[in-house]
Amino acid sequence: MLTSSAQRSQSAAAAASVAEYLTFRLGEEEYSIDILRVQEIRSYEQPTRLAHAPDFIKGVIDLRGVIVPIVDLRLKLGCEKVEYTDFTVVIILNVGGTVLGAVVDAVADVVALPANAIKAAPQFQGQVDASFVRGIATLGERMLIVVDIESLLSSSEMGMLKSVAATDA
């Protein structure tokens, strides 16, 4: 049996392993990203297109003097239907020292998830690339795909985004 001080330290350790995540929708799925990566959420505005950029890089915007590349996560993840609506937003993220915008269908809320609530994602053989999925969390009736944004964008893509931000700044 644990003493009250041992119980308190165990409770404190459990509380310390709780992290907050911003949840958002892409198609029918609900995703979440570490809230510490999020700088702000903005309504979607048409970015300035960049010639010869991959289709998921929509262009750049000027965010208070900072040139920010805009990545459409729906295109990056191969969602079937990509429509821009009044709910479409851009999540401004800081990823590895690079500020970028991620276009999503809608933002839902912020949730607190203990580390043990995030279960390992199933591993698939072949065509499915789930390397960017940190895990799956169940929150009541909701299933959240917990995304590691650094893993989602390859190192060459991040290099391209850094060079876009640097040359246009």
mmCIF file with all atom_site columns, all heavy atoms in Angstrom, residues 16-36:
data_model
loop_
_atom_site.group_PDB
_atom_site.id
_atom_site.type_symbol
_atom_site.label_atom_id
_atom_site.label_alt_id
_atom_site.label_comp_id
_atom_site.label_asym_id
_atom_site.label_entity_id
_atom_site.label_seq_id
_atom_site.pdbx_PDB_ins_code
_atom_site.Cartn_x
_atom_site.Cartn_y
_atom_site.Cartn_z
_atom_site.occupancy
_atom_site.B_iso_or_equiv
_atom_site.pdbx_formal_charge
_atom_site.auth_seq_id
_atom_site.auth_comp_id
_atom_site.auth_asym_id
_atom_site.auth_atom_id
_atom_site.pdbx_PDB_model_num
ATOM 1   N N   . ALA A 1 16 ? 2.059   15.482 -14.617 1.00 0.00 ? 16 ALA A N   1
ATOM 2   C CA  . ALA A 1 16 ? 3.116   16.071 -15.435 1.00 0.00 ? 16 ALA A CA  1
ATOM 3   C C   . ALA A 1 16 ? 3.135   15.465 -16.832 1.00 0.00 ? 16 ALA A C   1
ATOM 4   O O   . ALA A 1 16 ? 3.584   16.095 -17.777 1.00 0.00 ? 16 ALA A O   1
ATOM 5   C CB  . ALA A 1 16 ? 4.461   15.883 -14.759 1.00 0.00 ? 16 ALA A CB  1
ATOM 6   N N   . SER A 1 17 ? 2.646   14.234 -16.989 1.00 0.00 ? 17 SER A N   1
ATOM 7   C CA  . SER A 1 17 ? 2.678   13.585 -18.289 1.00 0.00 ? 17 SER A CA  1
ATOM 8   C C   . SER A 1 17 ? 1.431   13.888 -19.126 1.00 0.00 ? 17 SER A C   1
ATOM 9   O O   . SER A 1 17 ? 1.255   13.327 -20.182 1.00 0.00 ? 17 SER A O   1
ATOM 10  C CB  . SER A 1 17 ? 2.857   12.077 -18.124 1.00 0.00 ? 17 SER A CB  1
ATOM 11  O OG  . SER A 1 17 ? 1.721   11.531 -17.489 1.00 0.00 ? 17 SER A OG  1
ATOM 12  N N   . VAL A 1 18 ? 0.592   14.787 -18.648 1.00 0.00 ? 18 VAL A N   1
ATOM 13  C CA  . VAL A 1 18 ? -0.587  15.209 -19.412 1.00 0.00 ? 18 VAL A CA  1
ATOM 14  C C   . VAL A 1 18 ? -0.178  16.370 -20.306 1.00 0.00 ? 18 VAL A C   1
ATOM 15  O O   . VAL A 1 18 ? 0.471   17.310 -19.868 1.00 0.00 ? 18 VAL A O   1
ATOM 16  C CB  . VAL A 1 18 ? -1.742  15.637 -18.476 1.00 0.00 ? 18 VAL A CB  1
ATOM 17  C CG1 . VAL A 1 18 ? -2.889  16.252 -19.254 1.00 0.00 ? 18 VAL A CG1 1
ATOM 18  C CG2 . VAL A 1 18 ? -2.227  14.455 -17.657 1.00 0.00 ? 18 VAL A CG2 1
ATOM 19  N N   . ALA A 1 19 ? -0.537  16.272 -21.582 1.00 0.00 ? 19 ALA A N   1
ATOM 20  C CA  . ALA A 1 19 ? -0.226  17.343 -22.531 1.00 0.00 ? 19 ALA A CA  1
ATOM 21  C C   . ALA A 1 19 ? -1.514  17.800 -23.202 1.00 0.00 ? 19 ALA A C   1
ATOM 22  O O   . ALA A 1 19 ? -2.483  17.038 -23.297 1.00 0.00 ? 19 ALA A O   1
ATOM 23  C CB  . ALA A 1 19 ? 0.772   16.854 -23.575 1.00 0.00 ? 19 ALA A CB  1
ATOM 24  N N   . GLU A 1 20 ? -1.517  19.047 -23.645 1.00 0.00 ? 20 GLU A N   1
ATOM 25  C CA  . GLU A 1 20 ? -2.689  19.579 -24.327 1.00 0.00 ? 20 GLU A CA  1
ATOM 26  C C   . GLU A 1 20 ? -2.492  19.513 -25.833 1.00 0.00 ? 20 GLU A C   1
ATOM 27  O O   . GLU A 1 20 ? -1.385  19.747 -26.340 1.00 0.00 ? 20 GLU A O   1
ATOM 28  C CB  . GLU A 1 20 ? -2.954  21.014 -23.894 1.00 0.00 ? 20 GLU A CB  1
ATOM 29  C CG  . GLU A 1 20 ? -3.431  21.104 -22.461 1.00 0.00 ? 20 GLU A CG  1
ATOM 30  C CD  . GLU A 1 20 ? -3.884  22.508 -22.100 1.00 0.00 ? 20 GLU A CD  1
ATOM 31  O OE1 . GLU A 1 20 ? -3.300  23.484 -22.612 1.00 0.00 ? 20 GLU A OE1 1
ATOM 32  O OE2 . GLU A 1 20 ? -4.826  22.616 -21.302 1.00 0.00 ? 20 GLU A OE2 1
ATOM 33  N N   . TYR A 1 21 ? -3.576  19.207 -26.532 1.00 0.00 ? 21 TYR A N   1
ATOM 34  C CA  . TYR A 1 21 ? -3.556  19.059 -27.978 1.00 0.00 ? 21 TYR A CA  1
ATOM 35  C C   . TYR A 1 21 ? -4.699  19.850 -28.594 1.00 0.00 ? 21 TYR A C   1
ATOM 36  O O   . TYR A 1 21 ? -5.810  19.851 -28.069 1.00 0.00 ? 21 TYR A O   1
ATOM 37  C CB  . TYR A 1 21 ? -3.711  17.580 -28.371 1.00 0.00 ? 21 TYR A CB  1
ATOM 38  C CG  . TYR A 1 21 ? -2.535  16.738 -27.954 1.00 0.00 ? 21 TYR A CG  1
ATOM 39  C CD1 . TYR A 1 21 ? -2.451  16.199 -26.675 1.00 0.00 ? 21 TYR A CD1 1
ATOM 40  C CD2 . TYR A 1 21 ? -1.494  16.492 -28.837 1.00 0.00 ? 21 TYR A CD2 1
ATOM 41  C CE1 . TYR A 1 21 ? -1.363  15.443 -26.289 1.00 0.00 ? 21 TYR A CE1 1
ATOM 42  C CE2 . TYR A 1 21 ? -0.403  15.732 -28.462 1.00 0.00 ? 21 TYR A CE2 1
ATOM 43  C CZ  . TYR A 1 21 ? -0.347  15.211 -27.193 1.00 0.00 ? 21 TYR A CZ  1
ATOM 44  O OH  . TYR A 1 21 ? 0.742   14.472 -26.810 1.00 0.00 ? 21 TYR A OH  1
ATOM 45  N N   . LEU A 1 22 ? -4.407  20.499 -29.712 1.00 0.00 ? 22 LEU A N   1
ATOM 46  C CA  . LEU A 1 22 ? -5.435  21.160 -30.504 1.00 0.00 ? 22 LEU A CA  1
ATOM 47  C C   . LEU A 1 22 ? -6.005  20.119 -31.448 1.00 0.00 ? 22 LEU A C   1
ATOM 48  O O   . LEU A 1 22 ? -5.258  19.432 -32.145 1.00 0.00 ? 22 LEU A O   1
ATOM 49  C CB  . LEU A 1 22 ? -4.828  22.318 -31.310 1.00 0.00 ? 22 LEU A CB  1
ATOM 50  C CG  . LEU A 1 22 ? -5.800  23.042 -32.247 1.00 0.00 ? 22 LEU A CG  1
ATOM 51  C CD1 . LEU A 1 22 ? -6.826  23.845 -31.442 1.00 0.00 ? 22 LEU A CD1 1
ATOM 52  C CD2 . LEU A 1 22 ? -5.031  23.945 -33.200 1.00 0.00 ? 22 LEU A CD2 1
ATOM 53  N N   . THR A 1 23 ? -7.330  19.975 -31.459 1.00 0.00 ? 23 THR A N   1
ATOM 54  C CA  . THR A 1 23 ? -7.955  19.002 -32.353 1.00 0.00 ? 23 THR A CA  1
ATOM 55  C C   . THR A 1 23 ? -8.528  19.730 -33.570 1.00 0.00 ? 23 THR A C   1
ATOM 56  O O   . THR A 1 23 ? -8.999  20.854 -33.475 1.00 0.00 ? 23 THR A O   1
ATOM 57  C CB  . THR A 1 23 ? -9.063  18.195 -31.657 1.00 0.00 ? 23 THR A CB  1
ATOM 58  O OG1 . THR A 1 23 ? -10.138 19.055 -31.324 1.00 0.00 ? 23 THR A OG1 1
ATOM 59  C CG2 . THR A 1 23 ? -8.545  17.510 -30.398 1.00 0.00 ? 23 THR A CG2 1
ATOM 60  N N   . PHE A 1 24 ? -8.430  19.052 -34.714 1.00 0.00 ? 24 PHE A N   1
ATOM 61  C CA  . PHE A 1 24 ? -8.941  19.626 -35.959 1.00 0.00 ? 24 PHE A CA  1
ATOM 62  C C   . PHE A 1 24 ? -9.435  18.502 -36.866 1.00 0.00 ? 24 PHE A C   1
ATOM 63  O O   . PHE A 1 24 ? -9.115  17.334 -36.659 1.00 0.00 ? 24 PHE A O   1
ATOM 64  C CB  . PHE A 1 24 ? -7.868  20.467 -36.661 1.00 0.00 ? 24 PHE A CB  1
ATOM 65  C CG  . PHE A 1 24 ? -6.594  19.730 -36.987 1.00 0.00 ? 24 PHE A CG  1
ATOM 66  C CD1 . PHE A 1 24 ? -6.444  19.082 -38.202 1.00 0.00 ? 24 PHE A CD1 1
ATOM 67  C CD2 . PHE A 1 24 ? -5.548  19.697 -36.086 1.00 0.00 ? 24 PHE A CD2 1
ATOM 68  C CE1 . PHE A 1 24 ? -5.276  18.399 -38.502 1.00 0.00 ? 24 PHE A CE1 1
ATOM 69  C CE2 . PHE A 1 24 ? -4.372  19.022 -36.386 1.00 0.00 ? 24 PHE A CE2 1
ATOM 70  C CZ  . PHE A 1 24 ? -4.231  18.365 -37.605 1.00 0.00 ? 24 PHE A CZ  1
ATOM 71  N N   . ARG A 1 25 ? -10.232 18.900 -37.853 1.00 0.00 ? 25 ARG A N   1
ATOM 72  C CA  . ARG A 1 25 ? -10.815 17.928 -38.780 1.00 0.00 ? 25 ARG A CA  1
ATOM 73  C C   . ARG A 1 25 ? -10.173 18.035 -40.151 1.00 0.00 ? 25 ARG A C   1
ATOM 74  O O   . ARG A 1 25 ? -9.910  19.127 -40.639 1.00 0.00 ? 25 ARG A O   1
ATOM 75  C CB  . ARG A 1 25 ? -12.316 18.135 -38.907 1.00 0.00 ? 25 ARG A CB  1
ATOM 76  C CG  . ARG A 1 25 ? -13.049 17.872 -37.595 1.00 0.00 ? 25 ARG A CG  1
ATOM 77  C CD  . ARG A 1 25 ? -14.516 17.643 -37.770 1.00 0.00 ? 25 ARG A CD  1
ATOM 78  N NE  . ARG A 1 25 ? -14.837 16.391 -38.418 1.00 0.00 ? 25 ARG A NE  1
ATOM 79  C CZ  . ARG A 1 25 ? -14.814 15.191 -37.830 1.00 0.00 ? 25 ARG A CZ  1
ATOM 80  N NH1 . ARG A 1 25 ? -14.465 15.095 -36.578 1.00 0.00 ? 25 ARG A NH1 1
ATOM 81  N NH2 . ARG A 1 25 ? -15.141 14.113 -38.475 1.00 0.00 ? 25 ARG A NH2 1
ATOM 82  N N   . LEU A 1 26 ? -9.943  16.879 -40.743 1.00 0.00 ? 26 LEU A N   1
ATOM 83  C CA  . LEU A 1 26 ? -9.561  16.749 -42.143 1.00 0.00 ? 26 LEU A CA  1
ATOM 84  C C   . LEU A 1 26 ? -10.494 15.685 -42.709 1.00 0.00 ? 26 LEU A C   1
ATOM 85  O O   . LEU A 1 26 ? -10.382 14.519 -42.345 1.00 0.00 ? 26 LEU A O   1
ATOM 86  C CB  . LEU A 1 26 ? -8.109  16.293 -42.302 1.00 0.00 ? 26 LEU A CB  1
ATOM 87  C CG  . LEU A 1 26 ? -7.014  17.245 -41.850 1.00 0.00 ? 26 LEU A CG  1
ATOM 88  C CD1 . LEU A 1 26 ? -5.657  16.569 -41.914 1.00 0.00 ? 26 LEU A CD1 1
ATOM 89  C CD2 . LEU A 1 26 ? -7.016  18.490 -42.718 1.00 0.00 ? 26 LEU A CD2 1
ATOM 90  N N   . GLY A 1 27 ? -11.431 16.103 -43.531 1.00 0.00 ? 27 GLY A N   1
ATOM 91  C CA  . GLY A 1 27 ? -12.428 15.153 -44.019 1.00 0.00 ? 27 GLY A CA  1
ATOM 92  C C   . GLY A 1 27 ? -13.260 14.650 -42.860 1.00 0.00 ? 27 GLY A C   1
ATOM 93  O O   . GLY A 1 27 ? -13.730 15.416 -42.031 1.00 0.00 ? 27 GLY A O   1
ATOM 94  N N   . GLU A 1 28 ? -13.388 13.331 -42.776 1.00 0.00 ? 28 GLU A N   1
ATOM 95  C CA  . GLU A 1 28 ? -14.191 12.724 -41.711 1.00 0.00 ? 28 GLU A CA  1
ATOM 96  C C   . GLU A 1 28 ? -13.368 12.409 -40.461 1.00 0.00 ? 28 GLU A C   1
ATOM 97  O O   . GLU A 1 28 ? -13.926 12.002 -39.453 1.00 0.00 ? 28 GLU A O   1
ATOM 98  C CB  . GLU A 1 28 ? -14.844 11.424 -42.224 1.00 0.00 ? 28 GLU A CB  1
ATOM 99  C CG  . GLU A 1 28 ? -15.817 11.644 -43.368 1.00 0.00 ? 28 GLU A CG  1
ATOM 100 C CD  . GLU A 1 28 ? -16.978 12.546 -42.978 1.00 0.00 ? 28 GLU A CD  1
ATOM 101 O OE1 . GLU A 1 28 ? -17.572 12.329 -41.904 1.00 0.00 ? 28 GLU A OE1 1
ATOM 102 O OE2 . GLU A 1 28 ? -17.276 13.470 -43.750 1.00 0.00 ? 28 GLU A OE2 1
ATOM 103 N N   . GLU A 1 29 ? -12.053 12.563 -40.537 1.00 0.00 ? 29 GLU A N   1
ATOM 104 C CA  . GLU A 1 29 ? -11.193 12.198 -39.418 1.00 0.00 ? 29 GLU A CA  1
ATOM 105 C C   . GLU A 1 29 ? -10.890 13.400 -38.532 1.00 0.00 ? 29 GLU A C   1
ATOM 106 O O   . GLU A 1 29 ? -10.854 14.534 -38.980 1.00 0.00 ? 29 GLU A O   1
ATOM 107 C CB  . GLU A 1 29 ? -9.866  11.603 -39.909 1.00 0.00 ? 29 GLU A CB  1
ATOM 108 C CG  . GLU A 1 29 ? -9.983  10.181 -40.385 1.00 0.00 ? 29 GLU A CG  1
ATOM 109 C CD  . GLU A 1 29 ? -10.572 10.100 -41.777 1.00 0.00 ? 29 GLU A CD  1
ATOM 110 O OE1 . GLU A 1 29 ? -10.200 10.935 -42.616 1.00 0.00 ? 29 GLU A OE1 1
ATOM 111 O OE2 . GLU A 1 29 ? -11.412 9.229  -42.017 1.00 0.00 ? 29 GLU A OE2 1
ATOM 112 N N   . GLU A 1 30 ? -10.640 13.080 -37.260 1.00 0.00 ? 30 GLU A N   1
ATOM 113 C CA  . GLU A 1 30 ? -10.265 14.110 -36.312 1.00 0.00 ? 30 GLU A CA  1
ATOM 114 C C   . GLU A 1 30 ? -8.816  13.860 -35.894 1.00 0.00 ? 30 GLU A C   1
ATOM 115 O O   . GLU A 1 30 ? -8.444  12.752 -35.525 1.00 0.00 ? 30 GLU A O   1
ATOM 116 C CB  . GLU A 1 30 ? -11.193 14.074 -35.097 1.00 0.00 ? 30 GLU A CB  1
ATOM 117 C CG  . GLU A 1 30 ? -11.098 15.314 -34.254 1.00 0.00 ? 30 GLU A CG  1
ATOM 118 C CD  . GLU A 1 30 ? -12.221 15.436 -33.243 1.00 0.00 ? 30 GLU A CD  1
ATOM 119 O OE1 . GLU A 1 30 ? -13.021 14.496 -33.097 1.00 0.00 ? 30 GLU A OE1 1
ATOM 120 O OE2 . GLU A 1 30 ? -12.265 16.481 -32.586 1.00 0.00 ? 30 GLU A OE2 1
ATOM 121 N N   . TYR A 1 31 ? -8.020  14.906 -35.993 1.00 0.00 ? 31 TYR A N   1
ATOM 122 C CA  . TYR A 1 31 ? -6.596  14.845 -35.691 1.00 0.00 ? 31 TYR A CA  1
ATOM 123 C C   . TYR A 1 31 ? -6.304  15.745 -34.511 1.00 0.00 ? 31 TYR A C   1
ATOM 124 O O   . TYR A 1 31 ? -7.093  16.622 -34.166 1.00 0.00 ? 31 TYR A O   1
ATOM 125 C CB  . TYR A 1 31 ? -5.766  15.325 -36.894 1.00 0.00 ? 31 TYR A CB  1
ATOM 126 C CG  . TYR A 1 31 ? -5.858  14.425 -38.097 1.00 0.00 ? 31 TYR A CG  1
ATOM 127 C CD1 . TYR A 1 31 ? -6.939  14.506 -38.974 1.00 0.00 ? 31 TYR A CD1 1
ATOM 128 C CD2 . TYR A 1 31 ? -4.851  13.508 -38.377 1.00 0.00 ? 31 TYR A CD2 1
ATOM 129 C CE1 . TYR A 1 31 ? -7.019  13.685 -40.088 1.00 0.00 ? 31 TYR A CE1 1
ATOM 130 C CE2 . TYR A 1 31 ? -4.918  12.686 -39.490 1.00 0.00 ? 31 TYR A CE2 1
ATOM 131 C CZ  . TYR A 1 31 ? -6.009  12.777 -40.342 1.00 0.00 ? 31 TYR A CZ  1
ATOM 132 O OH  . TYR A 1 31 ? -6.085  11.969 -41.438 1.00 0.00 ? 31 TYR A OH  1
ATOM 133 N N   . SER A 1 32 ? -5.117  15.557 -33.918 1.00 0.00 ? 32 SER A N   1
ATOM 134 C CA  . SER A 1 32 ? -4.685  16.460 -32.858 1.00 0.00 ? 32 SER A CA  1
ATOM 135 C C   . SER A 1 32 ? -3.193  16.703 -33.002 1.00 0.00 ? 32 SER A C   1
ATOM 136 O O   . SER A 1 32 ? -2.451  15.874 -33.518 1.00 0.00 ? 32 SER A O   1
ATOM 137 C CB  . SER A 1 32 ? -5.016  15.882 -31.477 1.00 0.00 ? 32 SER A CB  1
ATOM 138 O OG  . SER A 1 32 ? -4.302  14.686 -31.262 1.00 0.00 ? 32 SER A OG  1
ATOM 139 N N   . ILE A 1 33 ? -2.791  17.888 -32.542 1.00 0.00 ? 33 ILE A N   1
ATOM 140 C CA  . ILE A 1 33 ? -1.395  18.303 -32.616 1.00 0.00 ? 33 ILE A CA  1
ATOM 141 C C   . ILE A 1 33 ? -1.041  18.984 -31.302 1.00 0.00 ? 33 ILE A C   1
ATOM 142 O O   . ILE A 1 33 ? -1.891  19.641 -30.676 1.00 0.00 ? 33 ILE A O   1
ATOM 143 C CB  . ILE A 1 33 ? -1.178  19.245 -33.826 1.00 0.00 ? 33 ILE A CB  1
ATOM 144 C CG1 . ILE A 1 33 ? 0.298   19.498 -34.059 1.00 0.00 ? 33 ILE A CG1 1
ATOM 145 C CG2 . ILE A 1 33 ? -1.936  20.530 -33.675 1.00 0.00 ? 33 ILE A CG2 1
ATOM 146 C CD1 . ILE A 1 33 ? 0.581   20.167 -35.381 1.00 0.00 ? 33 ILE A CD1 1
ATOM 147 N N   . ASP A 1 34 ? 0.184   18.810 -30.886 1.00 0.00 ? 34 ASP A N   1
ATOM 148 C CA  . ASP A 1 34 ? 0.666   19.390 -29.627 1.00 0.00 ? 34 ASP A CA  1
ATOM 149 C C   . ASP A 1 34 ? 0.403   20.898 -29.625 1.00 0.00 ? 34 ASP A C   1
ATOM 150 O O   . ASP A 1 34 ? 0.842   21.615 -30.521 1.00 0.00 ? 34 ASP A O   1
ATOM 151 C CB  . ASP A 1 34 ? 2.161   19.095 -29.494 1.00 0.00 ? 34 ASP A CB  1
ATOM 152 C CG  . ASP A 1 34 ? 2.741   19.537 -28.160 1.00 0.00 ? 34 ASP A CG  1
ATOM 153 O OD1 . ASP A 1 34 ? 2.128   20.367 -27.456 1.00 0.00 ? 34 ASP A OD1 1
ATOM 154 O OD2 . ASP A 1 34 ? 3.835   19.065 -27.828 1.00 0.00 ? 34 ASP A OD2 1
ATOM 155 N N   . ILE A 1 35 ? -0.307  21.373 -28.625 1.00 0.00 ? 35 ILE A N   1
ATOM 156 C CA  . ILE A 1 35 ? -0.691  22.787 -28.544 1.00 0.00 ? 35 ILE A CA  1
ATOM 157 C C   . ILE A 1 35 ? 0.537   23.699 -28.456 1.00 0.00 ? 35 ILE A C   1
ATOM 158 O O   . ILE A 1 35 ? 0.485   24.860 -28.876 1.00 0.00 ? 35 ILE A O   1
ATOM 159 C CB  . ILE A 1 35 ? -1.653  23.040 -27.352 1.00 0.00 ? 35 ILE A CB  1
ATOM 160 C CG1 . ILE A 1 35 ? -2.332  24.410 -27.458 1.00 0.00 ? 35 ILE A CG1 1
ATOM 161 C CG2 . ILE A 1 35 ? -0.932  22.898 -26.030 1.00 0.00 ? 35 ILE A CG2 1
ATOM 162 C CD1 . ILE A 1 35 ? -3.403  24.501 -28.486 1.00 0.00 ? 35 ILE A CD1 1
ATOM 163 N N   . LEU A 1 36 ? 1.654   23.179 -27.962 1.00 0.00 ? 36 LEU A N   1
ATOM 164 C CA  . LEU A 1 36 ? 2.857   23.996 -27.838 1.00 0.00 ? 36 LEU A CA  1
ATOM 165 C C   . LEU A 1 36 ? 3.440   24.376 -29.199 1.00 0.00 ? 36 LEU A C   1
ATOM 166 O O   . LEU A 1 36 ? 4.253   25.287 -29.293 1.00 0.00 ? 36 LEU A O   1
ATOM 167 C CB  . LEU A 1 36 ? 3.911   23.284 -26.984 1.00 0.00 ? 36 LEU A CB  1
ATOM 168 C CG  . LEU A 1 36 ? 3.504   23.022 -25.533 1.00 0.00 ? 36 LEU A CG  1
ATOM 169 C CD1 . LEU A 1 36 ? 4.580   22.255 -24.800 1.00 0.00 ? 36 LEU A CD1 1
ATOM 170 C CD2 . LEU A 1 36 ? 3.156   24.320 -24.825 1.00 0.00 ? 36 LEU A CD2 1
#
